[in-house]
Amino acid sequence: MDKAHEKLNYVEFGSMNLDATKQFFTAAFGWRFTDYGPDYSAFDQQGLEGGFYAADKAASQAAGSALLVFYSSDLEATRSKVESLGGSICKEIFEFPGGRRFHFTEPGGNEFGVWSDQPVS
């Protein structure tokens, strides 16, 4: 992990279903995890390293949580993949200056976004 003084380095999320969270991100985005006991699993090589811990709450934009956003060169294909692997679309594709995006909730309850600057495929 590269470390830069006073720069973001790591992110952690609660997960209401840690096993389902790991399975989802492995299948949808090719993530790999390292378990540190039964209640914590770390990921790396994803642009920002981090981990998920067993919790009874998860991150959502509506509750004031930060929203981490993936980039996709094919937004519709990524949306289809996310949904087919158990992600729930919580905000359909919408346009904004500079691109389009959607939001989804992964099986452990955390909300993420996916954006693209590419036109409709």
Side-chain angles (χ1 to χ4, degrees):
M1 169 174 24
D2 290 333
K3 297 178 215 80
H5 181 66
E6 297 180 344
K7 302 297 178 196
L8 291 175
N9 181 256
Y10 200 83
V11 62
E12 291 185 327
F13 296 93
S15 173
M16 296 184 292
N17 186 333
L18 191 54
D19 288 335
T21 292
K22 291 175 9 184
Q23 290 171 7
F24 174 81
F25 282 104
T26 297
F29 300 107
W31 288 18
R32 66 180 191 183
F33 289 89
T34 302
D35 293 334
Y36 294 97
D39 294 331
Y40 193 88
S41 192
F43 58 86
D44 60 11
Q45 299 181 13
Q46 298 308 315
L48 179 64
E49 295 184 9
F52 289 93
Y53 57 91
D56 61 357
K57 294 183 180 179
S60 75
Q61 194 178 36
S65 295
L67 180 71
L68 272 71
V69 182
F70 292 85
Y71 176 78
S72 173
S73 60
D74 187 337
L75 196 63
E76 286 73 20
T78 301
R79 185 201 177 285
S80 292
K81 181 171 59 170
V82 161
E83 195 167 37
S84 74
L85 293 169
S88 299
I89 306 304
C90 57
K91 190 177 285 189
E92 289 292 343
I93 295 174
F94 63 95
E95 294 185 15
F96 63 92
R100 302 173 301 126
R101 79 179 196 201
F102 70 91
H103 296 191
F104 69 92
T105 303
E106 53 88 11
N110 292 293
E111 181 180 352
F112 291 86
V114 181
W115 86 282
S116 184
D117 55 358
Q118 301 299 307
V120 175
S121 57

